[in-house]
Every structure is written in structure tokens, then in C-alpha cells.
Amino acid sequence: SGLFGNHPLLLLGDESAPSMSEMENAKLALASVWSYACIRAISTHAADIPVRASLLDEANQPIALKDSDPVQQLVYRPNALETWNEFVESAFFYQDLWGHVPSHVIRDKTSKNVISYKTVRPDYLIVEGSNDSSSPVKGYLFEDPLAGRAPVRIPVEDIILVRHFSPLHGVLGLAPA
């Protein structure tokens, strides 16, 4: 019995989660034009904050990267379908409606370098619980019900999970909306 009790997989909306599922909460919040308008205003203004990538030198001082640097290019264009502003907007929506936003890091198959990242709908991501107290998450399964294909396994190091605090769950966040 670990962090997730006797559940080998922690599914969103199962009996260990809060009584109102994240999907029901999101649908309820989106039903109000005011929820949508508020999250849209917050995300739009957040996306307007300039973000620059930098590295740290041996003295722990930041070194600004040129606009042409591949790392800075990932900030400007996280993936082929989104600009930085679109990425931030989707991240804020997911975090405020579901309580957490998973971002999938895409790596080059040969070099393993990060080549892009994108937000993932929280209701399509299944968290695989672990009984190891030092690492409560074993991995993730991404299941898109509209795609009609088998779930895709995503290693734990390829998901960045940003969440709101939740007293009800050790891994996933609690939506404020």
C-alpha cells in the first residue's frame, strides 16, 4: 500500500479522486461565460510577459541566449502547432479548469534532445501510480478517445506536471474554477 493505496493505476475520476470529476468541473466552469472570460484575460496577459531563455555559467550567472539559439526558439515556438502565446493560453486553461496542466516533452529519437513540447488535455492522461515512496509516479498513459488507437505510454521524465495545490491528491491539482 503506497501513496495510491492498492490502485496499480490511478485513473482520473476513480473513487480515490474527489467526488466531482475534473471533467465535470471543467464543463461546469466553461458553462459560464464569465469563467471563460476571466481565464482568457489572465492567460492572454500572462502570455504577453516576455520570456527569455538563459544558461548559467560556472559562477552561477545567467548568460542570455541569442534569438537564433535553438533553446530560445523553443520558447518562441514550443511546437509546430502553437506559438508561445497559444501554449500559455492552453496551459492556463487546463490548470484553472482541471487543477493541473501536463506538458509532453518531445525528444529527438537519436540525440534525446528536446525538440518540442505541448500541453496535453488532463482528462486524456492516466497517471500510473507507483508503490515506491521516493517516486510516486511510474509513468503516464495518453489516451485520446477521438483518435481510436491504443493508449501511448509516456515516460515520467517526458511529462512536466504543473499543478495547483490539492489536499485531496498527492499528484494532481485541485481546480480553483
Side-chain angles (χ1 to χ4, degrees):
S1 175
L3 180 66
F4 302 112
N6 296 322
H7 301 284
L9 285 179
L10 177 66
L11 304 176
L12 296 181
D14 72 2
E15 66 273 7
S16 65
S19 59
M20 178 184 266
S21 75
E22 286 85 357
M23 184 56 123
E24 292 168 329
N25 189 38
K27 284 180 182 176
L28 183 63
L30 280 177
S32 167
V33 68
W34 296 113
S35 292
Y36 180 82
C38 290
I39 295 172
R40 172 100 177 151
I42 292 168
S43 66
T44 301
H45 290 300
D48 286 341
I49 297 171
V51 176
R52 297 288 310 175
S54 62
L55 300 174
L56 296 177
D57 64 13
E58 296 80 27
N60 226 13
Q61 297 299 310
I63 302 170
L65 299 177
K66 295 180 180 181
D67 286 344
S68 60
D69 189 282
V71 174
Q72 185 62 42
Q73 289 298 310
L74 278 174
V75 172
Y76 293 147
R77 187 126 191 130
N79 59 66
L81 299 175
E82 293 178 305
T83 63
W84 173 252
N85 289 19
E86 293 164 328
F87 174 83
V88 170
E89 183 177 347
S90 66
F92 269 81
F93 266 90
Y94 291 149
Q95 185 160 355
D96 285 344
L97 294 178
W98 274 276
H100 54 277
V101 56
S103 294
H104 183 192
V105 175
I106 313 297
R107 298 178 188 277
D108 180 81
K109 292 183 185 339
T110 307
S111 69
K112 304 296 183 202
N113 291 334
V114 175
I115 56 173
S116 69
Y117 53 97
K118 61 184 179 180
T119 56
V120 176
R121 277 189 53 168
D123 56 328
Y124 289 1
L125 196 69
I126 300 168
V127 180
E128 292 183 291
S130 167
N131 288 328
D132 180 0
S133 62
S134 66
S135 179
V137 177
K138 183 168 66 174
Y140 301 90
L141 290 175
F142 176 71
E143 185 170 34
D144 183 347
L146 304 175
R149 58 180 175 254
V152 176
R153 185 170 301 283
I154 302 173
V156 70
E157 63 271 10
D158 287 347
I159 290 287
I160 299 170
L161 189 65
V162 178
R163 69 187 191 104
H164 287 300
F165 171 74
S166 174
L168 305 172
H169 201 283
V171 176
L172 303 178
L174 182 64

